[in-house]
Amino acid sequence: MTAAGAEPPTVSLRPGAGIQAAVDRHPPGTRFRLEPGVHRLQSIVPKDRNRFEGAPGAVLSGARRLTAFVHRGSVWIARGQTQEGRVNAAEFCRSGFPRCARPEDLFIDDAPMLHVGSRSAVGPGRWFFDYDADEIVIGDDPTGRTVETSVTPRAFGGTASGVVIQSLTIEKYAAPIQAAAVDAEFGPGWTVRNTTLRLNHGVGVNAGNGSRILGNRILDNGHAGFSGSGTDFLIAGNEIARNGYAGVDFHWEGGGGKITESGGGGFIRGNCVHDNVGAGIWADIDVHRLVIEDNLVFGNADNGITYEISYDGVIRNNRVADNGQRGQGWFWGAQILISSARGVKVYGNDIDVPGGYGNAVTVVSQDRVPYTPAVGNEIFDNRVVIRNANARVGAVTDVDADNAVIAAGNRLYGNRYHLADLGERVWFWNDAEADWNAIRAQGQETGSVVHTGIPQKTPLTCPPMVQTDEVR
């Protein structure tokens, strides 16, 4: 036991050392320093107030290297592969990704290969896990290359409080879809900072009550970058990019990250969320009083920011552009979407709809009891550039006879628009398209202005990340 008031010990761990065994031997509050190199196949359940810090070059990997292959014709076979993690429902996989529900991945020189559904489908860039024969079959010559397969489902989890994880690379865990390599949901007050979470099959990090997810690079995960629930969490200053390689149907979920069932006090602030295969930032299912502010959200395949079947959100001071390229049409694929939600305030945002695809700010109300109709939402004091005359701003429902209710129960005002032509019918209100004069005749856009002429587009890049040693 550590004496009262004594500084907790620091334990140095080299690659190959058992991290969980070290945690078990030492008291709560112990600081563990992971030395440079790859710490493979480690899964850790911390004690209260444990700290895990990486020296430069320290990597936690859930993958095993494959070095012994049998060459047969056009394929190479690794035998004795008995790992098999939890399988999710295959109907959540997009066409062309037959095994996204399987958590095992294969990487060649850090690039994930496509997991195909049969041996006959194996070829360059494609592989197959024959679970019955305990064999991995690959279609690329492994000679002189680093070949790895993910094995361990989780890096960190458990119910300990006040855990800190910092300055590590955490990669290639066989986290199932909807599960995370770092799972802070059940341990209050975890902090994950200055860490790279990448190439994990499911989610990079899952936040819970009091979590602080700060200054991380959350990149190239299979399902989503982050997830979370609970209260009083902060997700701030992260780069969240290119998540979604596993092929999960992003209209179900996936991409940058999603918050669900949050009782309030959550902030998603100052992140750069870009080029995810799915939505950028998504609040869904009974989220209360979530604040989404000061983020740069661009180039995501689906909606930039979504607030769905939830309450009283604030979406403010974000820069949101070029999202929705793979949206499903109608009023989806928006830069900002309010979907069957109430009391959401959208203001102070800089919104840029690209030419050729995407919507601006849309309110969609559907029969999703008890959240319909979507009323009490306010869209005001935003700058909106619309480069696509087919884009939409406004409210819509597919519930019979509810159009007037949806239109009357939401407000547009004080916005600043840039259109190519005042005659463009980009607004949709009370079941009808409207141009600038028609939308104002319906009592909307009071105090708003329209400028004709489209400003030059500015390329978007993430600002430099600021790392911190503070727990905030």
Side-chain angles (χ1 to χ4, degrees), residues 138-463:
I138 70 174
D140 296 87
D141 186 348
T143 305
R145 307 181 73 179
T146 300
V147 182
E148 299 167 282
T149 185
S150 52
V151 174
T152 306
R154 187 176 72 180
F156 290 95
T159 60
S161 64
V163 173
V164 175
I165 300 163
Q166 67 179 27
S167 304
L168 281 165
T169 293
I170 299 173
E171 67 177 25
K172 300 172 186 164
Y173 276 81
I177 298 300
Q178 292 190 306
V182 176
D183 189 357
E185 181 176 2
F186 303 106
W190 284 35
T191 296
V192 181
R193 67 187 175 209
N194 303 347
T195 286
T196 297
L197 298 120
R198 67 172 199 150
L199 298 173
N200 303 291
H201 184 82
V203 180
V205 58
N206 185 27
N209 291 332
S211 291
R212 299 293 183 261
I213 312 300
L214 307 174
N216 304 287
R217 303 186 74 228
I218 307 173
L219 312 174
D220 302 300
N221 295 285
H223 178 200
F226 70 89
S227 57
S229 60
T231 62
D232 188 34
F233 57 81
L234 173 62
I235 300 172
N238 306 283
E239 182 182 6
I240 302 165
R242 301 185 303 275
N243 298 287
Y245 72 75
V248 178
D249 183 347
F250 56 80
H251 298 298
W252 175 61
E253 68 174 36
K258 177 187 274 193
I259 300 297
T260 59
E261 297 178 335
S262 171
F267 287 83
I268 300 176
R269 174 188 296 151
N271 303 283
C272 186
V273 185
H274 66 95
D275 296 299
N276 295 285
V277 186
I281 299 171
W282 192 347
D284 185 23
I285 308 175
D286 206 25
V287 176
H288 294 250
R289 300 183 304 282
L290 177 64
V291 177
I292 302 170
E293 63 183 3
D294 299 320
N295 301 283
L296 174 57
V297 183
F298 66 95
N300 299 288
D302 203 6
N303 309 299
I305 299 173
T306 304
Y307 209 90
E308 182 173 4
I309 51 176
S310 296
Y311 299 96
D312 301 326
V314 174
I315 302 171
R316 65 188 176 198
N317 303 332
N318 303 282
R319 190 173 183 190
V320 191
D322 301 343
N323 301 289
Q325 184 173 11
R326 301 191 202 177
Q328 289 179 314
W330 199 44
F331 281 68
W332 313 122
Q335 307 313 301
I336 299 176
L337 169 67
I338 302 168
S339 180
S340 297
R342 298 187 181 204
V344 183
K345 290 180 169 55
V346 179
Y347 63 92
N349 302 284
D350 190 327
I351 298 162
D352 196 317
V353 183
Y357 63 88
N359 286 305
V361 185
T362 57
V363 179
V364 173
S365 189
Q366 297 180 295
D367 190 9
R368 306 178 71 175
V369 176
Y371 302 99
T372 359
V375 295
N377 302 296
E378 299 181 41
I379 301 163
F380 62 98
D381 194 28
N382 302 284
R383 176 181 181 266
V384 185
V385 178
I386 298 180
R387 304 175 189 274
N388 170 15
N390 294 316
R392 289 287 182 264
V393 179
V396 67
T397 181
D398 57 9
V399 179
D400 290 345
D402 266 359
N403 278 294
V405 174
I406 301 306
N410 299 284
R411 296 181 61 204
L412 300 167
Y413 60 95
N415 298 295
R416 302 174 305 284
Y417 293 95
H418 294 264
L419 305 177
D421 191 302
L422 278 178
E424 290 180 352
R425 302 168 67 85
V426 299
W427 288 271
F428 195 94
W429 210 259
N430 204 11
D431 201 26
E433 292 181 341
D435 62 13
W436 173 240
N437 291 325
I439 191 66
R440 288 169 62 84
Q442 296 204 48
Q444 297 296 325
E445 298 292 10
T446 57
S448 297
V449 296
V450 171
H451 302 279
T452 55
I454 303 296
Q456 184 175 354
K457 199 171 187 69
T458 303
L460 297 175
T461 58
C462 292

